[in-house]
Amino acid sequence: MPQVTLTVNGASHTVEVEGRTLLVELLREKLRLTGTHVGCDTSQCGACVVHVNGDSVKSCTLLALQADGAEITTIEGLAKPDGTLHPMQEAFREYHALQCGFCTPGMVMSAIDLVQKHPQGLSEKEIREGLEGNLCRCTGYHNIVKAIAAAQDVMHGRRAELAPAAE
Amino acid sequence: MYDFAYHKPTTVADAVKILSADPEARPISGGQTLLPALKHRLNKPTAVVDLSGIAELKGIRREGDRLVIGALAKHGEVANSPEVKAAIPALAQMASTIGDTQVRNRGTIGGSVSNNDPAADYPAAVLGLDATVVTDKRRIAADDFFQGMFTTALEPGELLVAIEFPIPEKAGYAKMRNPASRYVMAGVFVARTKSGTRVVVNGAGPGVFRQAEMETALAANWSADAVAGVKQSPDGLNGDIHGSAEYRAHLVTVMAKRAVANAG
Ligand SMILES: Cc1cc2nc3c(=O)[nH]c(=O)nc-3n(C[C@H](O)[C@H](O)[C@H](O)COP(=O)(O)OP(=O)(O)OC[C@H]3O[C@@H](n4cnc5c(N)ncnc54)[C@H](O)[C@@H]3O)c2cc1C
């Protein structure tokens, strides 16, 4: 069987895979990193978004072998070892940016890529457009957009702490 | 998905060798079309040949009065490329509207143009700008390349290497998206180029096509008003649950007006 070597959340792994093994299958089934979800499995919903060499991609639409040699970050790789949440995770918590939570890992990974690629800051409209590849079937977009708007100020160092959500 | 072997050659010659030795092997670039198709078991390749390690297929560069875009250029790269933005802003703008961020981080111009989905964006620009498709064997004019739904002049095992876009005087694109799939229902690309005025329709029919009456009208008078009076016939256009052929025909004129306005 072919082998793939990749770095996931800072740790190197060499794993035997089939030609058809998807990156998301490698993450969930071989590495037991089940924070990355499979929603639609048709490249639409974005529940499976991870970062590959710093870009957000749908891990259900990438062969594990295509990720050979890549640096992968999943939702499990965001918090600090002491449990301190990434500002985007903290913002999702503070702004109650989820209902059932199924889409959340993908939303957070897409949101971080979106914010990192726009150091000049994003308007509400740009945030909504930037989430085109992520579907929330609880239709909880409103708080998700607010969370991302708040998190970007912390991520870009414009605020030391997250702006609290309104009561 | 059925299982398959995986190859990752580093030269076009090696890729072509693998593909010609095995007619059931398929190239893969971004995989944003091929992998969903394989999941549906729409085809059953014995092997996929990953092109992403081939340096000859990469890069975006200006060569005189042409912009050359390598097959592996991702939609996101084209959208953000300073060369593309300076030479053909309409092309960068188009790329920025293909799918979503994650699709744009993987999908490539070579994959999109080889696939020739009737609702894809890039074929409209390739035909509208009178571009040349460069393969491992030959150079193909856009007018000869697109041959209807999911069909191109590429022969089995032939690789798209790059696309050469002559830099136009003006170009613009407008599309109406299906609100659910976000794929184009009807789009129009307009350009004033050295070889003449071109108007191309995508999404509305079984493949991209030139709208001759609109080309004549725009050549005489480059303005949104000039195309406003030209009606597209619904004959042969797509009609489905998303919209009738008549609706798409109506959209063609509306999109043509907007495309001219976008071109400035
Ligand atoms: C959710 C979603 C939304 C999308 N929305 C849009 C949209 O709005 N507009 C749009 O235009 N597209 C859209 N797409 C399609 C997307 O643009 C694809 O990336 C593109 O069509 C295929 O490019 P690829 O590199 O992924 O090709 P692949 O999937 O790797 O390949 C596609 C086909 O081309 C062949 N091929 C690939 N490269 C070459 C080559 N160099 N030479 C010869 N043959 C080759 C493959 O064998 C395969 O048959 C969307 C896709 C998804 C998943």
Side-chain angles (χ1 to χ4, degrees), chain A residues 42-44 58 61 66, chain B residues 26-36 43 51 57 71-72 75 97-100 103-104 106-115 117 119-123 154 158-161 175 177 181-184:
Chain A
T42 58
S43 330
Q44 316 274 330
K58 292 176 181 169
T61 312
Q66 288 178 291
Chain B
R26 295 286 295 277
I28 187 167
S29 291
Q32 301 302 291
T33 292
L34 186 62
L35 291 176
N43 44 49
L51 304 181
L57 302 180
L72 282 176
H75 308 335
T97 69
I98 299 176
D100 52 51
V103 169
R104 293 193 290 275
R106 294 289 311 164
T108 67
I109 192 167
S112 174
V113 172
S114 304
N115 191 51
D117 186 321
D121 292 288
Y122 273 137
L154 288 177
E158 186 171 8
L159 285 185
L160 195 159
V161 170
K175 64 175 168 179
R177 291 171 163 213
S181 77
R182 313 290 284 151
Y183 272 92
V184 58

Side-chain angles (χ1 to χ4, degrees), chain A residues 20 41 56 58 60 132, chain B residues 1 39 100 102 105 182:
Chain A
R20 64 178 163 183
D41 199 17
S56 58
K58 292 176 181 169
C60 81
E132 172 143 8
Chain B
M1 257 196 288
K39 287 183 186 185
D100 52 51
Q102 290 72 37
N105 281 342
R182 313 290 284 151

